[in-house]
Amino acid sequence: MASVLITGTSSGIGRATAIELTKRGHRVTATARTLRTIEDLDVDTRLALDVSDQDSVDAAVAAAGQVDVLISNSAQYFRSAVEETPADELLHLLDVNTVGALRATRAVLPQMRRRGSGRILYVSSINGRISFPLDSAYSASKFALEAIAESLAQETATHGISVALLQPGPVASGALDAPREIRGPEDAYADLHAKTSFPGMIPTEEAAAVIADAVDLAELPLRIPVGEFARQVLAARKAAPDDRIFGA
């Protein structure tokens, strides 16, 4: 049994993962920005944690006690063409999706390093390896997250800490039912917005099962595709030449 802290458990993948790990007998600390959103979760501990606030992160980690596994899951999403993406919106997305993961990582690393064991699982995305139209901001946040994870895996290997990136494609978490869109005054990319679709969508429970498996794997690979669609797309991206836009 491991002590697992999960960020972003109010809904979607985070909530499903908290439920799955509890079923498997792990001691789960579920966290969310607003505590009332997770009051109904049947887990060991429920704590308020805002990944955009280092003090909030540090306080939650201190209250959680020993953390054997961190599952960094908190994320936000919006769709916008590059031309129509306000800089402040991009900065906010990076602060939550990328810097937020860094804040949580920094909070748990000292105890893991001193103990000589630990596991950090980042919920990334196929967008951490591929960028699609209207997804530049989200993909930028996930590409950056993958860079942090690659460095971290090398830095902490000698301290007994394992790192992995979980890479789902579209997940039926509700976030994609009516995704937030940012459009410019001319709405110059309306045709792309109209063509938006999310193929290969999997249920949150399927994603949660793969993440829960990663908690217990004896050997943890750096990257773990989540779902058949993710496996196919990532394999195709790996085979495609780097001098050409994927899918072109």
Side-chain angles (χ1 to χ4, degrees):
M1 180 184 74
S3 176
V4 185
L5 187 148
I6 312 172
T7 67
T9 62
S10 61
S11 62
I13 295 174
R15 173 175 280 262
T17 302
I19 293 169
E20 179 64 24
L21 285 169
T22 298
K23 287 179 181 177
R24 297 189 187 194
H26 294 288
R27 186 173 76 83
V28 174
T29 297
T31 72
R33 276 187 303 172
T34 306
L35 198 55
R36 62 176 173 76
T37 63
I38 57 173
E39 286 176 347
D40 61 327
L41 267 179
D42 184 15
V43 295
D44 187 83
T45 306
R46 293 174 294 275
L47 296 171
L49 186 158
D50 181 352
V51 296
S52 66
D53 181 341
Q54 188 69 60
D55 289 340
S56 172
V57 174
D58 292 342
V61 169
Q66 179 169 320
V67 177
D68 301 314
V69 182
L70 167 68
I71 300 178
S72 178
N73 167 73
S74 295
Q76 294 182 8
Y77 177 73
F78 69 79
R79 296 176 65 75
S80 184
V82 172
E83 180 184 349
E84 298 175 338
T85 300
D88 60 343
E89 293 283 0
L90 172 58
L91 288 170
H92 176 71
L93 200 71
L94 289 166
D95 187 51
V96 173
N97 296 5
T98 311
V99 183
L102 176 63
R103 291 186 183 103
T105 300
R106 293 184 67 243
V108 301
L109 270 179
Q111 60 162 282
M112 290 182 176
R113 177 173 45 75
R114 293 170 190 141
R115 198 167 56 240
S117 66
R119 186 160 286 197
I120 297 176
L121 306 179
Y122 295 108
V123 180
S124 181
S125 168
I126 59 173
N127 286 73
R129 304 294 278 177
I130 307 162
S131 192
F132 301 100
L134 308 180
D135 272 354
S136 62
Y138 184 70
S139 290
S141 73
K142 294 300 186 178
F143 267 68
L145 178 63
E146 299 231 350
I148 289 171
E150 281 199 23
S151 291
L152 181 67
Q154 297 171 75
E155 293 165 359
T156 59
T158 58
H159 295 286
I161 299 169
S162 301
V163 177
L165 291 149
L166 286 300
Q167 300 172 311
V171 177
S173 63
L176 300 180
D177 292 347
R180 183 182 174 217
E181 296 179 348
I182 299 176
R183 305 195 188 199
E186 297 180 47
D187 201 7
Y189 302 90
D191 57 332
L192 288 176
H193 284 281
K195 294 175 183 176
T196 294
S197 64
F198 301 100
M201 193 173 291
I202 63 173
T204 55
E205 292 79 7
E206 181 177 343
V210 177
I211 296 168
D213 287 344
V215 171
D216 295 319
L217 283 175
E219 296 292 331
L220 193 62
L222 178 62
R223 289 184 170 86
I224 304 174
V226 179
E228 183 57 32
F229 179 75
R231 284 189 286 272
Q232 292 176 1
V233 170
L234 291 170
R237 179 65 191 92
K238 185 176 180 180
D242 284 338
D243 63 349
R244 194 174 306 164
I245 296 173
F246 178 70

